[in-house]
Amino acid sequence: MWAKLSLMDFVLRASSRLALRPFTLADADDFYALTQDPSFSSFLITDYRQASAAAARAWLLANARTISDTGLGKWAAVSAESGELIGMGGLSLWEWGGETLVDITYRLHSKALGKGLGRELAQLLLRVAADRNLKNVTATITPDNTASIRLTEALGFCFDRGIELHGVATLLYRYGGGRDA
C-alpha cells in the first residue's frame, strides 16, 4: 500500500516554527502574492516581484530547473504549524572577482517580521550549506538594510567590501569572515 505524502515530507530543514521545502507549481498564487508584499520586495538587489500568477509559475519552473541543475536555488519558507508560505530562502552560486561563491537569500512577508523568523530562516540555510559542505558562503546586502546587516553579523558573517551588483550599491559579507570559511 502506498503512503500518502504531503509537501512537509520533502522538508530540507526545519525549526520548531519554520520549514524549508521545495516550491511547487501549487505555490504560484501564494508566491505571486508574497512578491507583492512591501517587506518582501524591499532592499532589492535581485527583484523577485512577479507581474502575475502566470509569471510566478514561470519563475517557479525556472527555479526548479536551477535546483535540478545545481542543487541550489530558492525554497519555500513555510510555517511549521500551518504550512502557510511566509517567505523564501535560498542558496545560489555566483561569481565575483574570479571566485565561485554561494550567496544566502532570505525574505519574509511583513506579517512574519519581528518574531525572530529571519534569524531562524538564515540559520536553516546555513545548516543546508553545511550539510552540502559548501564553502565561501556570502550575504549581499544593501547599505540601508540595517536589520539584515545586524542579523548577518550576529550569525558570524564579516564585512568584506562594498561592491556593485546589478547597478545597486551592495555590501559583501562572508560567513566566518574569510575566504573558504
Side-chain angles (χ1 to χ4, degrees), residues 25-48:
L25 289 180
D27 292 315
D29 290 338
D30 291 338
F31 180 67
Y32 167 68
L34 178 67
T35 69
Q36 305 309 301
D37 180 68
S39 287
F40 185 88
S41 299
S42 61
F43 307 112
L44 292 176
I45 297 168
T46 300
D47 192 349
Y48 296 103

